[in-house]
């Protein structure tokens, strides 16, 4: 019942916020924050309750929903999903605090509506990470679109309607392919077992013939690649991230996009091991393309929010790379990367959001010399930027390093190419810093930009603290993640390759 | 041969037809001012009574053996009226669905608050549109209560259509429900020329398709010496030549596919849906479709089940065309009713997937889809009828801009219906699509499902576009508004919305029902 309760807390909060009289905006925000913090507390309980010795699902609960189709309400977490749930539960209150004054009631939407939507979204996020019935997962996966759609479409920049629609259509199309594959999987399971099922653990025991596996794999992979997003299915993300409010962008890029990579790791590999191995080289190539394409386009952006969105596409390349090399280092690196990326991109979006809301412009060229006026804000930006480029000492470094080490054992060529992505990361972050923060402040910047406020600092400081702490003691997170990674490897039937580098070096 | 008539099994049909006769007498003998309430009471009472008999019959059969080979079960036989009618599990489910939808549609027909001039029908359909006569009758508040006997006969025909067990009975049922529809379609109060044009098109094309059906039945009779479905099925297995059978199947298919509105026999759908009085559109799009699909299922499962390898390729093409053309043309529409009409064509394609499966799961999933789609469709058209300006219904898409701000509740319910039509999870439409697609994949029609999923993606676009229009655009200055309806329409929309949500969140009881309904009797 723990996980269902965890889902109910934000949902109750959302209903409560929505039912408040429309004049009481402050109260609505406070109630939303209280429920978000309560969810955070409960999510910590979930992680503390995990047995670290076992990589299997824990806190499992299962109730029949539509027995005619073998559909059940099955929730359960392993180390990976639990850490992602905690990451989301941290980002939601942070987004609420950071977005305290983001929206005003208008004809488009009310303040309480905004915060209620965020809480609804949190419920669905927890659901999507905890669902272990594929059908249930699909329902949450699709249902998540709607709060996000309204968050972008009602409370965003001038192009928000277009961005929201683009996001919705991309996701719906991806979702429909997943639906087709889901139906196929159901039929396969009903042929093999007599009764069709969507239960994740049962599905991993199926022996699906390789041809069918490949077909079904592609259906699922397409949906997840759109969600992640990977090049070439990525074009919705920069639009959505640029038009949404910074708090929404934080949740969108920081949490929602993880659903795609999480699902690849959690569902695709265990259920379709053969197909995963078959397509791994192609997907690795695609991920390397994503790394470079995202980084290069980030360098070329003139809009800060779009820039961060493109850096994320590059980061997702690393995550997917780590997943599909299927070594323990790669997998745990990717899992850890997902958590870190949530915090790091979140911090970056928030810091830039503070700047953008002061200056009233998202164009990089409109800034310059901010460090003279707002040194603390600049420092916050610098720290989040450095974690974005995976500086040693930040937790992002650990995960990126793990991914690359894990990948090298399997695919050295791809890994060496991917390593150059780090150089590009330094370019897009440091050049951005140079253009926005250094130099002589223009008259407009002097007039508009002010130092970070206490509320803003309270929102972003926990993220930076986590990034630094996990950078020095990554074991806290890795201990939770690693058993789950081993479990995934067992499902796929892979073991880590012997360290062959030294062998080659000393070879005959 | 001694003719046996099982009155209890046939009760639902008899009740509706008898109510129709009574209704004619009401028109003849009751003073004008009292007619409407009496007719309405009569209609609702007969529908409720007929539904009660469907439930009684179903319980009686469940108490006995579920599927017997035409044998005696607790004094009730599954085959009634000398094998001309098959009151079997799926037949009773279909009758139940038709009656439920008719009940809701009756409430819509009874509405007279949304149009200041009266109900949705012309005051006197015999007057010339735009004439002085018309003006006078309207001013005096005349109501064309003759729609009620027509309507009741129509429901009677619809109840018989899916349980007819031979081609002739089926043809009679087809005509019994079609003729009243042709008439009522011409009786819209507003835009009468459009309505009359639609009715004439519907009549001519409908008559044409009936002729095809009859010709097909004649060919089948020539080949098998029978019109009874199970006899035909047996005879076909032993037939030496397909020379008459294949054309016969084709022609019967034309007749039935016309009624369900599948491409390429869909041309009437947008015109008739647009021109008819909106409550009738709601009724037609739901109840007629259910009955026609019921008949299609029975004919192709029972009579032509053994020939499935011959007719499947044809049905594949029809299904693909319906899904793709329906979805694509819906995108290009600017009129709400026409858009929904093309969406209905696309849905016909989806439901055909269940027909093509010819399996137990194909049958049960089709039944579920029909129930789900029926309620959503009634609800959608009920709301379309509420959005009005001074000249009547405002069906142009641009007039719907910003409706979500003017009346958030109605716009939200409309959005719910659209999401259900698009097949978004947690709505009835999703469970229906899922069931049908699963049956199709299981039946080896995976390519069809991929087309269906692609068509769903196209369809999602135009449904989403309407939602965006309602919620994210500014309303035009002199735009229409949502009229506050009387309790009739409110209840109808409420029931439809409740079913749409309930079947999406907790579909298991209804799934049990359609699965336990078993197979068609042979």
């Amino acid at each position: 019942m723990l996980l269902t309760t965890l889902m109910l807390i934000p949902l109750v909060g959302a209903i409560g916020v929505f039912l408040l009289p429309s004049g009481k905006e402050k109260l609505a925000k406070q109630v939303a924050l209280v429920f978000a913090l309560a969810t955070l507390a409960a999510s910590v309980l979930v992680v503390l309750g995990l047995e670290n010795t076992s990589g299997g699902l824990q806190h499992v609960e299962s109730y029949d929903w539509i027995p005619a189709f073998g559909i059940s309400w099955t929730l359960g977490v392993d180390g990976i999903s639990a850490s992602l749930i905690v990451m989301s539960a941290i980002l939601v209150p942070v987004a609420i605090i950071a977005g305290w004054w983001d929206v005003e009631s208008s004809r488009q939407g009310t303040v309480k509506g905004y915060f209620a939507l965020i809480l609804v979204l949190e419920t669905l996020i927890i659901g999507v990470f905890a669902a272990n019935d594929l059908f249930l997962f699909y329902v949450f996966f699709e249902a998540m679109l709607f709060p996000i759609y309204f968050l972008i479409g009602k409370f965003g920049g001038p192009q928000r309607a277009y961005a929201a629609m683009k996001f919705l259509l991309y996701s719906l199309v991806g979702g429909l392919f997943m639906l087709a594959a889901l139906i196929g999987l159901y039929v396969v399971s009903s042929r093999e077992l007599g009764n069709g099922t969507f239960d994740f653990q049962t599905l991993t025991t199926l022996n699906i013939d390789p041809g069918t596996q490949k077909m079904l794999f592609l259906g699922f992979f397409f949906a997840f690649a759109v969600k992640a997003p990977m090049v070439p299915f990525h074009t919705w993300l920069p639009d959505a991230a640029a038009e949404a409010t910074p708090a929404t962008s934080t949740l969108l890029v920081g949490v929602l996009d993880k659903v795609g990579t999480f699902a690849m790791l959690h569902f695709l590999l265990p259920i379709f091991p053969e197909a995963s191995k078959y397509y791994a080289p192609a997907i690795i190539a695609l991920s390397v393309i994503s790394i470079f394409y995202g980084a290069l386009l980030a360098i070329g952006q003139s809009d800060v929010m779009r820039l961060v969105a493109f850096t994320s596409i590059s980061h997702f390349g690393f995550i997917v790379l780590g997943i599909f090399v299927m070594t323990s280092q790669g997998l745990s690196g990717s899992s850890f990367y997902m958590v870190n990326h949530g915090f790091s991109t979140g911090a970056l979006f928030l810091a830039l959001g503070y700047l953008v809301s002061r200056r009233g412009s998202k164009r990089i060229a409109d800034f310059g010399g901010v460090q003279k006026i707002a040194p603390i804000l600049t420092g916050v930006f610098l720290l989040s930027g450095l974690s974005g480029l995976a500086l040693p000492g930040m937790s992002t470094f650990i995960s990126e390093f793990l991914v690359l080490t894990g990948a090298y054992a399997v695919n050295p060529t791809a890994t060496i190419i991917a390593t150059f992505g780090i150089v590009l990361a330094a370019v897009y972050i440091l050049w951005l810093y140079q253009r926005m923060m250094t130099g002589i402040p223009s008259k407009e910047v002097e007039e508009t930009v002010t130092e970070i406020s206490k509320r803003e600092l309270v929102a972003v400081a926990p993220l930076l603290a986590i990034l630094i702490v996990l950078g020095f003691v990554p074991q806290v997170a890795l201990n939770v993640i690693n058993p789950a990674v081993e479990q995934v490897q067992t499902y796929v039937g892979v073991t880590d390759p012997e360290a062959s580098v030294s062998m080659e070096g000393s070879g005959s | 041969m001694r003719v046996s008539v099982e009155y209890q099994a046939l009760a639902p049909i008899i009740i509706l037809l008898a109510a129709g006769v009574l209704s004619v007498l009401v028109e003849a003998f009751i003073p004008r001012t009292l007619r409407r309430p009496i007719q309405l009471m009569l209609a609702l009472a007969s529908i409720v009574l007929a539904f009660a008999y469907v439930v009684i019959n179903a319980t009686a059969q469940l108490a006995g053996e579920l599927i017997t080979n035409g044998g005696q079960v607790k004094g009730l036989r599954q085959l009634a009226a000398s094998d001309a009618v098959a009151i079997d599990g799926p037949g009773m489910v279909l009758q139940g669905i038709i009656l439920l939808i008719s009940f809701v549609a009756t409430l819509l027909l009874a509405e007279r608050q949304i149009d200041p001039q009266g109900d949705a029908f012309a005051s006197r359909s015999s007057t010339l549109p735009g004439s002085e006569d018309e003006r006078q009758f309207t001013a005096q508040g005349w109501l064309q209560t003759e729609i009620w006997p027509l309507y009741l006969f129509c429901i009677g025909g619809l109840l018989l259509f899916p349980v007819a067990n031979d081609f002739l009975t089926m043809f009679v049922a087809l005509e019994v429900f079609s003729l009243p529809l042709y008439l009522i379609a011409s009786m819209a109060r507003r835009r009468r020329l459009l309505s009359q044009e639609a009715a004439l098109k519907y009549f001519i094309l409908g008559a044409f398709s009936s002729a095809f059906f009859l010709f097909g039945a004649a060919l089948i009779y020539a080949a098998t010496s029978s019109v009874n479905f199970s006899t035909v099925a047996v005879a076909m297995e032993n037939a030496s030549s397909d020379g008459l059978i294949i054309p016969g199947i084709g022609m019967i298919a034309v007749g039935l596919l016309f009624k369900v509105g599948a491409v390429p026999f869909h041309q009437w759908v947008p015109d008739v849906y647009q021109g008819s009085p909106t409550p009738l559109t709601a009724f037609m799009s739901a109840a007629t479709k259910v009955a026609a699909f019921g008949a299609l299922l029975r004919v192709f499962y029972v009579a032509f089940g053994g020939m499935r390898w011959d007719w499947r390729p044809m049905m594949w093409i029809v299904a693909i065309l319906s899904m793709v053309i329906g979805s694509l043309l819906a995108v290009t529409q600017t009129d709400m009713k026409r858009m929904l009409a093309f969406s209905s064509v696309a849905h016909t394609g989806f439901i055909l997937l269940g027909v093509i499966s010819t399996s137990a799961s194909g049958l049960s999933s089709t039944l579920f889809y029909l129930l789900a789609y029926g309620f959503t469709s009634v609800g959608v058209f009920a709301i379309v009828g509420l959005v009005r300006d001074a000249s009547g219904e405002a069906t142009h898409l641009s007039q719907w801009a910003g409706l979500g701000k003017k009346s958030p509740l109605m716009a939200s319910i409309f959005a719910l219906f659209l999401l259900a039509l698009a097949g978004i999870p947690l709505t009835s439409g999703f469970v229906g699509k899922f069931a049908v697609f699963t049956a199709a994949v299981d039946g080896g029609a995976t390519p069809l499902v991929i087309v269906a999923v692609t068509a769903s993606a196209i369809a999602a676009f135009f449904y989403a576009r309407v939602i965006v229009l309602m919620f994210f655009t500014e309303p035009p200055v002199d735009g229409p508004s949502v009229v506050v309806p009387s309790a009739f329409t409110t209840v109808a929309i409420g029931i439809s919305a409740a079913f749409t949500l309930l079947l999406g969140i907790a579909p298991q009881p209804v799934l049990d029902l359609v699965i336990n309904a078993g197979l068609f009797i042979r």
Side-chain angles (χ1 to χ4, degrees):
Chain A
M1 283 304 289
L2 189 54
L3 291 169
T4 305
T5 318
L6 186 61
M7 287 181 66
L8 280 177
I9 298 171
L11 188 64
V12 169
I15 296 169
V17 168
F18 189 76
L19 290 180
L20 286 174
S22 46
K24 311 231 173 189
E25 293 180 357
K26 193 174 173 204
L27 185 65
K29 293 171 188 178
Q30 286 164 339
V31 172
L33 183 60
V34 166
F35 275 94
L37 290 173
T39 315
L40 173 58
S43 73
V44 171
L45 284 183
V46 169
V47 175
L48 292 180
L50 282 183
E51 289 284 340
N52 271 351
T53 45
S54 145
L57 293 178
Q58 297 175 45
H59 299 307
V60 178
E61 48 191 282
S62 186
Y63 313 97
D64 275 348
W65 180 16
I66 311 178
F69 295 128
I71 296 168
S72 61
W73 177 274
T74 304
L75 301 180
V77 288
D78 58 11
I80 301 170
S81 43
S83 46
L84 285 169
I85 288 175
V86 174
M87 187 261 297
S88 321
I90 293 175
L91 280 178
V92 170
V94 163
I96 290 176
I97 296 172
W100 205 257
W101 300 113
D102 266 6
V103 291
E104 287 165 12
S105 285
S106 66
R107 280 178 67 80
Q108 280 289 325
T110 56
V111 169
K112 65 173 186 178
Y114 181 73
F115 290 96
L117 278 175
I118 290 183
L119 288 177
V120 170
L121 183 63
E122 182 170 25
T123 299
L124 297 171
I125 288 168
I126 297 169
V128 86
F129 285 131
N132 272 290
D133 179 283
L134 248 71
F135 187 91
L136 192 62
F137 171 80
Y138 174 78
V139 169
F140 290 136
F141 190 84
E142 292 282 272
M144 248 175 17
L145 303 180
F146 293 93
I148 277 284
Y149 172 74
F150 287 111
L151 281 172
I152 301 171
K154 288 194 169 202
F155 312 93
Q159 292 290 315
R160 57 175 182 262
Y162 166 78
M165 193 68 183
K166 192 169 177 182
F167 161 76
L168 189 70
L169 287 179
Y170 264 75
S171 305
L172 277 180
V173 171
L176 282 167
F177 276 90
M178 177 169 162
L179 175 63
L182 203 63
I183 292 170
L185 186 61
Y186 173 77
V187 171
V188 168
S189 77
S190 70
R191 286 203 185 129
E192 192 165 318
L193 305 169
N195 280 319
T197 183
F198 286 101
D199 181 60
F200 164 67
Q201 282 174 311
T202 317
L203 287 174
T204 54
T205 61
L206 292 182
N207 283 316
I208 313 171
D209 75 274
T212 319
Q213 266 198 34
K214 285 172 196 162
M215 292 285 294
L216 297 178
F217 179 92
L218 284 183
F220 282 104
F221 182 78
F222 178 71
F224 299 152
V226 169
K227 195 77 171 184
M230 288 183 77
V231 176
F233 314 115
H234 64 284
T235 62
W236 63 268
L237 181 67
D239 287 327
E243 294 304 324
T245 62
T248 308
S249 298
T250 303
L251 293 179
L252 176 70
V253 183
V255 181
L256 279 160
D257 294 350
K258 301 299 173 334
V259 175
T261 44
F262 166 76
M264 289 179 198
L265 175 62
H266 189 75
F267 292 121
L268 277 188
L269 262 51
I271 299 178
F272 309 111
E274 304 305 321
S276 302
K277 285 177 211 162
Y278 177 81
Y279 285 116
I283 294 171
I284 288 173
L286 208 58
S287 63
V288 173
I289 294 174
S290 278
I291 292 173
F292 272 86
Y293 186 84
L296 288 173
L297 261 72
I299 293 172
Q301 292 306 308
S302 57
D303 174 316
V304 281
M305 292 301 186
R306 291 181 72 88
L307 186 145
V308 181
F310 276 109
T311 68
S312 291
I313 292 171
S314 176
H315 290 303
F316 285 120
F318 280 107
I319 298 177
V320 175
L321 174 68
I323 293 173
F324 278 91
V325 294
M326 296 180 214
T327 56
S328 60
Q329 282 167 328
L331 289 169
S332 53
S334 285
S335 312
F336 193 32
Y337 209 132
M338 288 190 238
V339 176
N340 292 332
H341 177 262
F343 295 131
S344 146
T345 309
L348 208 51
F349 265 124
L350 294 183
L352 289 171
Y354 297 159
L355 281 167
V356 166
S357 66
R358 284 168 165 70
R359 178 71 181 83
S361 163
K362 289 184 288 194
R363 282 167 45 81
I364 298 171
D366 288 343
F367 291 88
V370 175
Q371 63 183 6
K372 296 208 175 80
I373 304 164
I376 305 180
L377 183 51
T378 308
V380 167
F381 168 75
L382 184 63
L383 275 179
S384 26
L386 291 178
S387 81
L389 62 77
L391 188 80
M394 309 295 267
S395 61
T396 44
F397 168 73
I398 313 277
S399 48
E400 202 154 300
F401 184 76
L402 275 172
V403 166
L404 290 172
T405 334
Y408 188 82
V410 173
N411 196 332
T413 327
T415 314
I416 291 168
I417 301 173
T419 313
F420 286 101
I422 302 180
V423 180
L424 294 177
V427 174
Y428 58 67
I429 291 293
L430 296 177
W431 193 35
L432 177 68
Y433 181 85
Q434 187 201 1
R435 283 182 290 172
M436 290 180 75
M437 304 303 177
T438 61
I440 302 156
S442 68
K443 198 164 161 255
E444 288 83 7
V445 171
E446 268 183 344
E447 274 168 10
T448 51
V449 176
T450 48
E451 186 54 282
I452 191 167
S453 76
K454 214 174 259 173
R455 170 186 61 82
E456 290 169 330
L457 196 60
V458 165
V460 76
L463 302 184
L464 297 175
I466 291 170
L467 285 167
I468 294 170
V469 168
L470 285 180
F472 284 95
V473 278
Q475 282 310 327
V476 179
L478 288 175
N479 281 346
V480 177
I481 288 172
N482 281 339
V485 165
E486 280 166 33
Q487 181 68 35
V488 172
Q489 281 196 310
T490 321
Y491 279 137
V492 190
V494 290
T495 46
D496 290 340
E498 296 291 322
S500 54
V501 185
S502 57
M503 301 276 285
E504 277 169 46
S506 65
S508 67
Chain B
M1 190 176 80
R2 203 176 70 85
V3 174
S4 67
V5 179
E6 282 76 4
Y7 287 102
Q8 194 187 335
L10 297 172
I13 303 165
I14 295 172
I15 289 167
L16 259 300
L17 294 178
V21 174
L22 260 181
S23 182
V24 172
L25 295 178
V26 169
E27 285 300 313
F29 294 111
I30 302 287
R32 188 162 66 85
T33 45
L34 289 176
R35 280 179 207 161
R36 184 180 165 278
I38 293 179
Q39 295 284 24
L40 176 60
M41 293 306 289
L42 186 61
L44 288 176
S46 59
I47 290 172
V48 170
L49 191 63
F51 187 75
Y53 263 102
V54 170
V55 174
I56 292 172
N57 288 344
T59 334
Q61 279 201 18
L62 278 174
E65 274 181 27
L66 204 62
I67 299 170
T68 55
N69 212 1
Q72 211 71 21
V73 180
K74 287 221 164 182
L76 249 185
R77 281 183 47 179
Q78 291 201 326
L79 290 177
S82 300
D83 296 358
V85 177
I87 308 289
D88 49 12
M92 285 187 292
V93 170
L94 285 162
Q95 286 188 332
I97 298 174
I98 293 168
L99 286 166
L100 283 174
I101 292 170
S102 302
F103 184 84
V104 177
T106 308
L107 297 176
L108 295 180
L109 253 65
E111 174 67 55
R112 52 186 283 189
Q113 194 171 312
I114 53 179
D115 194 320
Q117 292 180 2
D119 55 18
F121 304 95
S123 306
R124 257 296 165 89
S125 55
S126 54
T127 55
L128 277 174
S131 66
E132 180 61 18
D133 276 359
E134 182 196 38
R135 208 188 53 74
Q136 274 184 3
F137 279 114
T138 309
Q140 289 165 10
W142 282 65
L143 295 174
Q144 187 85 51
T145 42
E146 284 83 355
I147 56 156
W148 291 102
L150 291 171
Y151 178 63
L152 289 172
F153 282 126
C154 177
I155 302 176
L158 290 175
L159 288 179
L160 179 57
F161 199 42
V163 295
N165 198 36
D166 64 48
F167 285 115
L168 285 182
T169 312
M170 189 169 265
F171 180 73
V172 171
L174 179 94
E175 293 300 325
V176 169
F177 81 74
S178 295
L179 291 171
L181 284 180
Y182 301 145
L183 278 173
I184 308 178
S186 72
M187 292 187 185
R189 179 178 286 273
R190 311 279 186 156
R191 288 177 223 168
R192 291 185 56 201
L193 284 176
L194 198 65
S195 167
Q196 293 181 353
E197 181 195 328
L200 191 64
K201 271 185 193 165
Y202 191 21
F203 172 66
I204 292 173
L205 289 173
F208 209 48
S209 80
S210 300
F212 266 98
F213 183 89
L214 202 56
F215 198 178
L219 289 179
I220 297 290
Y221 181 74
T224 63
S225 321
S226 176
V227 288
N228 181 282
F229 292 161
S230 35
T231 322
V232 166
V234 173
M236 277 185 178
E237 275 168 32
N238 306 326
S240 52
S241 148
D242 287 349
L244 291 173
I245 292 175
I246 299 288
I249 294 178
M251 288 185 161
I252 284 175
V254 170
L256 292 172
L257 289 173
F258 174 86
K259 283 293 164 198
V260 299
V263 178
F265 315 109
H266 67 290
Q267 311 287 2
W268 62 275
V269 176
D271 289 343
V272 174
Y273 278 25
Q274 185 189 20
S276 300
T278 307
L280 185 78
T281 311
F283 176 70
M284 261 196 305
S285 70
T288 313
K289 189 158 260 180
V290 172
F293 260 109
L296 189 71
L297 282 167
R298 187 179 294 278
V299 167
F300 280 86
Y301 272 53
V302 179
F304 304 152
M307 301 287 287
R308 65 174 74 99
W309 302 110
D310 292 298
W311 58 257
R312 255 193 195 155
M314 172 193 81
M315 281 293 190
W316 271 56
I317 294 170
V318 172
I320 291 175
L321 286 177
S322 301
M323 292 186 286
V324 173
I325 293 184
S327 306
L328 284 179
L329 289 184
V331 174
T332 65
Q333 299 305 312
T334 54
D335 181 277
M336 184 62 81
K337 282 168 98 176
R338 288 185 82 84
M339 189 201 89
L340 290 170
F342 278 108
S343 123
S344 146
V345 171
H347 277 277
T348 299
F350 297 139
I351 307 174
L352 277 176
L353 261 61
V355 178
I356 290 170
S357 309
T358 44
S359 61
S361 65
L363 178 58
S364 61
S365 61
T366 311
L367 292 180
F368 184 89
Y369 200 122
L370 288 172
L371 177 64
Y373 177 75
F375 273 104
T376 312
S377 192
V378 168
V380 132
F381 281 109
I383 295 186
V384 168
L386 292 183
V387 180
R388 310 175 79 96
D389 57 17
S391 66
E393 287 167 6
T395 54
H396 197 275
L397 274 181
S398 63
Q399 292 173 298
W400 284 63
L403 221 57
K405 284 158 197 159
K406 284 186 184 165
S407 29
L409 180 67
M410 275 302 166
S412 305
I413 297 179
F414 194 71
L416 168 73
F417 290 138
L418 289 180
L419 292 177
L421 290 176
I424 302 296
L426 302 183
T427 62
S428 60
F430 175 73
V431 181
K433 260 188 191 161
F434 181 81
V436 168
F437 290 0
T438 309
V441 171
D442 207 18
T446 311
L448 267 187
V449 173
I450 291 172
V451 175
V453 165
T454 318
S456 303
I458 301 171
F461 169 72
F462 62 79
Y463 294 124
R465 196 176 58 180
V466 175
I467 298 178
V468 170
L469 198 66
M470 288 195 303
F471 287 97
F472 292 129
T473 45
E474 286 300 315
V477 186
D478 53 346
S481 54
V482 175
V483 180
V484 179
S486 68
F488 289 124
T489 306
T490 315
V491 169
I493 294 174
I495 295 177
S496 311
F499 264 91
T500 302
L501 262 186
L502 206 65
L503 292 182
I505 295 170
Q508 188 60 33
V510 177
L511 284 170
D512 282 341
L513 179 75
V514 293
I515 290 169
N516 288 335
L519 292 172
F520 285 122
I521 183 170
R522 281 168 198 281

